[in-house]
Structures are given as structure tokens and as C-alpha cells.
Amino acid sequence: MNARMLLLSLCLAGCTLGRGGEVATLGRVDDRALPGSGNWFLAASPSILRYRPSRHLEADTQAAIAHYEAVAKAAVDDDGRAEALRRAAYLRLQLAEETPDVSRAELERAVAHYQSLLQATPDDPHGDRILYQLARAWQALGDPDAASNRLRALQRGFPASPLLGDATFRLAEIQFSRGDYAQASEAYERVLADPAAARFVEMAQYKLGWSAFRQGRFASAVEQFLVALAREMPPSPGYDPEQLLRQLEPGRRPWVKDALRVISLSLAAEGGAAAWPRYFPETASEPDFAPLLYTALGELMLEKRHFTAAAAAFASYPQRHPQAQAAPHFARRQIDSLDLGGFSAAKIDAMMSFADRYAPDAAYWEGRPLPQHWRDVWLADVDALAAHYHHQAQRAEAASRPSARNDYLAAARWYQRRLQQLPSARGAARSQLLLAEALQAAGLEAQAIAHFERAAYDDPGFEAAPDAAYAGLLLRLLQAEKTPRELPAALLAADRLTATFADHPHWTEVVLHALEERVVLEQWDVVVAQARRLLQRTLSPQVRDQALTIMADAQFALEDYAAAESAYRQLMQARGAAATPAVANNLALAVYRQGEAARSRGLLAEASGHFLRLGEMLPEAGLRTTAEFDAAAVLLQMDEWAQGQGVLEGLLQRDPDHALAAEARRKLAAVYERRGLTLAAAALYVAIADASPDADLGREALWHASQLYLVQGASGQAQALLTRG
């Protein structure tokens, strides 16, 4: 094996390769495979395991060695011989470092030269150099014991040697590589205490920390690595190790990475986050770069898939530093760790804690701006919490579990929290709708209505606004069924829905229901207006018939008989043969009322026209005889005797048994008499007497008829009537 391979073998001999598999408990998180990723550090450190770089050897090195050895053999004086041997031995060591295929024999000859020098010149003032180089040679030959013995001899024999610091450090390195961490620790501590070994301080402190860790002296390991980290930290190192490492020079990154890892391993071995108070009883005692340590510990636990321990590590920072700027970041890492581990219940608890601690109105933000990032994170968390409880409530409800109501109320509280804190944030309308649904499911209908309506009308662009408006209206109508005084509010809600959402799928249904309710309340003006709006739409025959009926009845109630007549006419036309007598009667009554109205205003001709057209329009109407009787009366009042006579004659011919027939006969008799139709009048009076149940009235009619006969010279007929009377 050549010298370089011997060197490499020795370097690796002091390193224990990492175990495979994952560490599942804190008790096993020791990671004894370190230091360094891939054992970089021992290979890179300026230790006894590595030779100092030398100048490039020229091709005549072997010749130079042979020359010095020849000089040593031929030298007459001891000093010349010793110097020649020193140079030959040094060149052999240098050749071993520079030449991969140098033979072991070369190193052994170098050792023989140095040993020969020690024997020949035991009092040589440069003996410390010989011992130092001899230790190098023994180390290259793979004999750490021999190398250690030479280094200790240097320490004993040359207490003032400038190589003493080097020797102490290199002796510690040999002990470290052999796993003798207790002895290595003592040696590294001597290096740290020796001003002459200043150039080895960083490495000695690093290895001292590792030695303590390997012995399970975690507090000591943490102490050493904290000092080492303090030297490396730039201003404002932050809390992200990866970002920190990018700021450092490439050569310094492995040092810092290992230091953070060993501190994390030490904390993990002593209980993880629970160990913080033992190392730092007061938060003021933590170094400025403490956030990096919290992060490193948490990430180590994530690496080991110990998710609850990772969450505890991240959570410990905001617990100990509640007002620190990085507190929300660590609280988030706690939640993310629990999420990675699938700890749903613990994650929900952590999210609720986060939502309370970092709400927009929380004390944490007092005196500092709320960044958009954390505002969005808080909003997303609250939405997630509300959705969690809402979904949980729906599942409980489906399973008929009594917990459903409490879950709905929990969801409602989170929806309300969001809307109170950020009423104008994106998704507010949807939150209003979901809040309303949760409150309704929890049995709080009155509260739900207000939120349904806010969801419907506060955000014109909300896609579910029509559904929200309809849900709120249905709840109002249900309330009105239980409490009639709530009906006006429900009707206003219906009007608002139909005015706002002209294309609502339930628009017609809502208007029609509101019309029916307003008929009960006798809100005729509104009924007419709404029915007219409804009739402007394309409707099914059934709905159009219903709307026309309501509008006609409302117009009639408003005494707008002409409009009512028009509506009833439309109904008659639409129904055709299926038209009911009730519609015909209503139409007749609307016409009749127009005649009455005209008569009351003194518009007699108009009145008679209405009365007469009723029979023309509806020959079978029960009101026809009454209308024609009134028409005749108006005509007689207007001295339209001939027309009045015709109306009365037609009436009596068509309906001789009507209740008004007797009065019609009397009027007709008077008309006949007025027009000089004496015999016709006399005959009609006789008929009146025959039909009258009133004896006095009958006698009077007979007497009057007899007088008319006398006037006409029909004394026999007159005498016969008088005899009857």
C-alpha cells in the first residue's frame, strides 16, 4: 500500500459510518456517524493525518536523496552527517506525499534516518523537528502508537518548542481518530489554552465539541459548538439555515452545518424542545442566532420522521419568544410538521392557536404592520378551520350524532371571526353564505336570515347570490307561518329578490306566492303592480290564469272596474269553454259596477250603456235582468220612454218570474200610460193585480185599470173590474 493510501486509510479509520434506517424516538437520535456530511472534515483538517503541502518535486528527487545519503556516509563531522540525514529523510516524506506509488520501504528508510539521528545526536537542539517529522512518518506507515510516542517525547523534551502547539493538536487528532474521546478532549482543551496553537483553535474547538458529543456530554458539546457558531455568524443571520449557508464562504459552510447538526442532536438526545430551558433558562441568555438552532432542531426531527417532536421544537420558539418577528414563521412550521405526520387533531389545535395569536386584531400586531403574507395565511387558516368543523358537523348530522349542532356552531364562530376581522377580504360573500347555512343547521334561523341576505346582496358578483337570496326568503316565509307579524318582512324580501335577480329560476314562484300573501293582506295596489310584472313574462297557461285572476280581483277590490273587466275578459278568452260561471259572474259584476259608478256621477247615458251591454256580452249572466232593469230606470229618468219601454218588455218576456218583474210591470204600465197606450196600460194593470199577493195593491191596480177603460169608452170592462175590486 502506498503512502497516500495509508494516509487515506488512517483518515477513515477514525470515522464511524452512519447507520441505515430511520430513528423513531428521541432516545435513539444520536447520529454518531458525524462529524460532517460524508466525513468531510477529517479529510480536510490540517491534522497529523495530512501532510503539509509542499512544493512540487522535480524529477531529480531520488537523485537528491541518494546524494544526501552519500554525503551522510562520507561525512567526517557529526553536524554534516546529521544535516544530510535530515534532508534525505524529509525528501522521502515529501516524496511519499507527492508520489502515489511510493513504496513503504521509502517511508521505512525515512524512519530509519530519523531514528539514527536521534541516537547519534540525543542533545540536538533541533530534536523537536526530528521527533515531529518522525511522528509524521510513523503515522504515514499506519502506526499511530509510535506516532503518539514521538509527539509525547516532543512535549516532554522540548517544552519551549514552536512545534509544541502543532504536536499537541496532532496528538489530539490521533486520539480522536482512534475513538479515545476522553484523552482527545483533554488534548484539545490544552490546544485551546495554548496561545502558540492559535491557528488550531477553530479545529480544536470543533473536535472538542465532537469529542464531548461522542462521550454523551451533550451540554459540553453544545457549549463548544455555540462558541464556534458565534465566530461564524454574519449580522442578522435570520432563522433559515440554508439561507445562512448561502451567505457564507463555501469553505465555511460545512463547519456551520455540522455545528448546527450536533447542537440539534444534543438537544434531541436530551428531550428535544424540552431541553431548551436547561440550556437557556432565560430567553435573554439565548444567542442572537438562536432562531437557527430552533429551526435546525425541528428540521432534524423532520428528517428522522419524528413529526410531533419537530412540531414541539418549532412551537417552542413562539412560546419562549411570543413577540419576536419570527414567531409566526415558527408557529407555521409547527402546523406544517403535524400535517406531514398526519396528526389531524393536533394540527387543528395548532391552527386554532395560530388563528388566535396572529389574528389581525391580536396583541402581537400592536405597533407593527400586518404583512399581506400573514394576513393571507391567517385567512386561509380560518377558512380551513371553518370548513373542518362544517364538514365534521355534516358527517355527524348524517350519522344522527348529537355533536352535530356543536360542530355547526364551531364552524359558525370561525366564519364570524373571519367576517369580523376582514369583512372586505376575498371570499367574504361565500363565508356569509356558509355561516348562514351553519346557523340554520344549528337551529338559529333568525340569525341565518341576516347572513343569507348579506351573501345575496353585499357582493353583486357573487355567483351563489341568487341561491342565498332564495334561502333567506324561504326562512323568512317559514318564520311568517309561525309568527304572522313576520309576513311583511318576508314579502319585502320577496320583492328584493325579484327586483335584483330577474333571471332567478324561482322568480315566478316567488312573485306568485307573494301575490297570494298580499291578497290576504289586501295590499291591492301592490298586488296589481306585481301581477302586471308577472304577466309581462312568458308563463305557463296555469300560472298566467292564476296571475290574471289575482290581478282582476285586485282591480275589482280597488274599484277599478274597467281594468277588472279587461282582466276577466282575458280569463274568459284564455279558458274558452272551460271558463267557470264564477269568472262570467265576476265579469258581469265588473260591467255592472261601471254602470253604477256612472249613474252615481250623473252620467246616465253612460250608465245605461254599461247596464245594457252586460246582457249583450253575457246573455246568460244572472245579473242581466237586474242590469236591464237599472238601464230601463235610467232611460225613463232621461225621458227615453220608447227605449225604456223596449228594455222593460224584453226583460219581462225573458224573465217574467224575476224578483224585479213586478216592479218592471209597474214601470212598463206607467210608460204605456205616458205614451198613450191606454188599453195596453189597462191590461198590464190587470195583470199586476192578478200577480200581486198584496190585496190592497191589487185593488188599487184594478181600480186604475177600470179608469183607463172608462177613458177609452169600455164601460163594460171597467164595470167588471170595479165589481172584482
Side-chain angles (χ1 to χ4, degrees):
M1 181 182 294
N2 63 37
R4 185 174 293 276
M5 291 304 294
L6 283 172
L7 178 74
L8 181 58
S9 298
L10 190 56
C11 289
L12 298 177
C15 305
T16 304
L17 296 178
R19 302 186 188 92
E22 297 177 346
V23 180
T25 65
L26 287 176
R28 292 182 55 207
V29 180
D30 51 18
D31 216 337
R32 302 288 174 142
L34 298 171
S37 175
N39 302 297
W40 66 272
F41 205 88
L42 287 175
S45 62
S47 69
I48 190 67
L49 309 181
R50 297 276 297 172
Y51 303 133
R52 291 172 183 270
S54 64
R55 64 179 177 80
H56 178 68
L57 296 182
E58 300 298 334
D60 60 352
T61 302
Q62 292 285 4
I65 291 171
H67 171 75
Y68 284 126
E69 288 178 345
V71 170
K73 288 179 182 178
V76 220
D77 61 292
D78 292 338
D79 289 342
R81 181 174 177 277
E83 181 62 26
L85 285 175
R86 271 196 298 270
R87 293 197 179 197
Y90 178 75
L91 286 176
R92 288 188 186 282
L93 282 176
Q94 200 170 32
L95 186 64
E97 180 183 13
E98 294 294 328
T99 309
D101 56 351
V102 69
S103 68
R104 182 179 179 85
E106 292 292 334
L107 288 170
E108 289 173 345
R109 293 182 66 180
V111 167
H113 287 331
Y114 282 128
Q115 287 178 334
S116 175
L117 281 170
L118 288 175
Q119 292 170 1
T121 57
D123 297 325
D124 188 343
H126 300 297
D128 56 339
R129 297 180 184 177
I130 296 172
L131 290 169
Y132 183 83
Q133 297 288 20
L134 185 56
R136 286 179 63 196
W138 279 119
Q139 187 64 29
L141 286 169
D143 191 342
D145 289 335
S148 297
N149 289 336
R150 298 304 180 270
L151 291 170
R152 290 191 185 96
L154 189 157
Q155 289 175 327
R156 291 191 302 269
F158 301 91
S161 170
L163 296 174
L164 191 62
D166 288 35
T168 304
F169 177 74
R170 295 174 193 286
L171 182 59
E173 291 282 84
I174 293 173
Q175 291 161 338
F176 185 92
S177 67
R178 299 178 68 179
D180 189 354
Y181 301 117
Q183 291 295 321
S185 295
E186 293 178 6
Y188 286 130
E189 286 172 352
R190 287 195 295 273
V191 172
L192 294 176
D194 185 359
R199 69 192 184 94
F200 297 110
V201 164
E202 289 185 10
M203 183 68 74
Q205 196 155 48
Y206 177 86
K207 291 294 185 64
L208 177 57
W210 267 112
S211 297
F213 177 76
R214 294 286 175 79
Q215 295 174 78
R217 294 167 48 232
F218 301 117
S220 178
V222 170
E223 178 185 356
Q224 297 303 322
F225 281 111
L226 285 176
V227 174
L229 279 177
R231 282 196 303 267
E232 302 293 334
M233 286 300 116
S236 304
Y239 52 76
D240 183 353
E242 291 301 322
Q243 185 176 357
L244 168 69
L245 293 173
R246 286 194 293 270
Q247 295 178 43
L248 301 176
E249 295 179 5
R252 310 304 294 175
R253 292 171 188 170
W255 292 69
V256 172
K257 189 173 183 179
D258 265 11
L260 289 171
R261 188 169 185 82
V262 178
I263 292 173
S264 299
L265 289 167
S266 299
L267 290 169
E270 294 203 322
W276 278 112
R278 293 199 293 275
Y279 286 95
F280 308 107
E282 303 295 333
T283 56
S285 64
E286 294 184 6
D288 292 341
F289 54 86
L292 289 165
L293 305 180
Y294 286 90
T295 300
L297 175 59
E299 290 182 345
L300 174 68
M301 294 298 97
L302 288 177
E303 177 188 325
K304 304 300 179 184
R305 302 186 66 77
H306 202 318
F307 299 108
T308 54
F314 290 126
S316 60
Y317 184 82
Q319 288 165 3
R320 289 173 61 86
H321 304 273
Q323 289 302 116
Q325 186 159 349
H329 164 79
F330 282 96
R332 235 24 264 161
R333 293 297 305 271
Q334 175 197 8
I335 294 168
D336 294 342
S337 300
L338 294 169
D339 187 41
L340 282 171
F343 298 100
S344 301
K347 175 190 172 185
I348 291 298
D349 289 341
M351 288 175 68
M352 288 193 291
S353 176
F354 183 93
D356 287 337
R357 197 182 308 163
Y358 303 111
D361 66 345
Y364 177 82
W365 301 111
E366 191 172 335
R368 68 175 80 183
L370 172 60
Q372 183 67 35
H373 168 72
W374 290 121
R375 177 183 177 277
D376 292 344
V377 167
W378 184 86
L379 200 62
D381 268 9
V382 171
D383 284 346
L385 287 169
H388 164 76
Y389 281 108
H390 206 144
H391 180 59
Q392 187 167 286
Q394 289 171 333
R395 285 186 299 172
E397 185 178 30
S400 300
R401 291 197 298 269
S403 61
R405 186 174 190 273
N406 286 336
D407 287 333
Y408 276 124
L409 291 174
R413 283 193 293 272
W414 286 110
Y415 290 129
Q416 286 171 324
R417 186 89 178 271
R418 179 205 211 273
L419 293 167
Q420 289 165 357
Q421 292 286 314
L422 299 171
S424 301
R426 56 178 172 76
R430 177 170 176 76
S431 294
Q432 290 281 11
L433 177 58
L434 294 171
L435 170 56
E437 290 178 353
L439 290 170
Q440 180 185 5
L444 301 176
E445 289 88 354
Q447 295 180 38
I449 287 171
H451 294 288
F452 274 128
E453 291 177 348
R454 287 174 191 161
Y457 303 111
D458 286 0
D459 182 358
F462 181 41
E463 66 278 5
D467 294 334
Y470 188 63
L473 173 61
L474 292 179
L475 280 184
R476 283 198 178 277
L477 291 172
L478 286 174
Q479 278 195 325
E481 288 182 9
K482 300 174 187 174
T483 311
R485 67 172 179 272
E486 297 293 334
L487 182 56
L491 294 176
L492 289 175
D495 293 344
R496 191 178 188 187
L497 183 151
T498 56
T500 306
F501 305 107
D503 297 325
H504 198 287
H506 297 288
W507 191 93
T508 300
E509 175 189 337
V510 169
V511 173
L512 201 55
H513 185 82
L515 282 173
E516 292 171 346
E517 295 291 353
R518 284 194 161 101
V519 167
V520 176
L521 295 175
E522 299 185 358
Q523 295 177 349
W524 304 119
D525 287 332
V526 181
V527 168
V528 169
Q530 295 286 26
R532 188 170 286 121
R533 286 180 62 207
L534 182 58
L535 289 165
Q536 289 171 355
R537 296 203 163 210
T538 301
L539 305 173
S540 68
Q542 181 182 358
V543 172
R544 176 167 290 278
D545 184 279
Q546 193 173 357
L548 276 172
T549 301
I550 291 172
M551 186 170 73
D553 291 344
Q555 289 166 331
F556 192 96
L558 288 169
E559 300 182 2
D560 187 354
Y561 301 119
E565 177 190 348
S566 174
Y568 288 131
R569 277 177 180 274
Q570 293 179 60
L571 270 176
M572 292 285 290
Q573 292 170 358
R575 292 184 181 181
T580 62
V583 176
N585 290 339
N586 287 339
L587 174 57
L589 189 57
V591 176
Y592 182 80
R593 289 284 186 260
Q594 292 177 66
E596 286 186 321
R599 183 175 60 189
S600 67
R601 296 196 304 272
L603 304 175
L604 301 182
E606 182 180 335
S608 65
H610 288 305
F611 290 139
L612 291 173
R613 70 185 182 85
L614 188 154
E616 296 168 0
M617 182 188 309
L618 301 165
E620 304 301 323
L623 197 57
R624 177 180 179 181
T625 300
T626 303
E628 289 182 349
F629 179 85
D630 288 345
V634 171
L635 289 169
L636 296 179
Q637 188 179 351
M638 296 167 58
D639 295 331
E640 297 290 341
W641 305 104
Q643 188 176 359
Q645 175 186 328
V647 171
L648 289 169
E649 288 173 342
L651 180 157
L652 290 169
Q653 183 180 3
R654 189 186 64 259
D655 195 1
D657 297 323
H658 192 275
L660 292 173
E663 182 64 25
R665 290 186 183 95
R666 287 194 292 272
K667 285 185 178 295
L668 181 58
V671 170
Y672 284 161
E673 191 175 357
R674 177 68 181 264
R675 296 191 66 201
L677 302 174
T678 306
L679 292 177
L684 194 52
Y685 279 127
V686 172
I688 291 171
D690 291 341
S692 176
D694 186 343
D696 292 338
L697 180 61
R699 283 192 294 270
E700 182 179 350
L702 287 174
W703 182 86
H704 197 70
S706 67
Q707 298 304 307
L708 290 176
Y709 278 125
L710 286 174
V711 170
Q712 291 296 317
S715 56
Q717 290 175 298
Q719 187 61 37
L721 292 176
L722 288 173
T723 301
R724 284 180 56 190

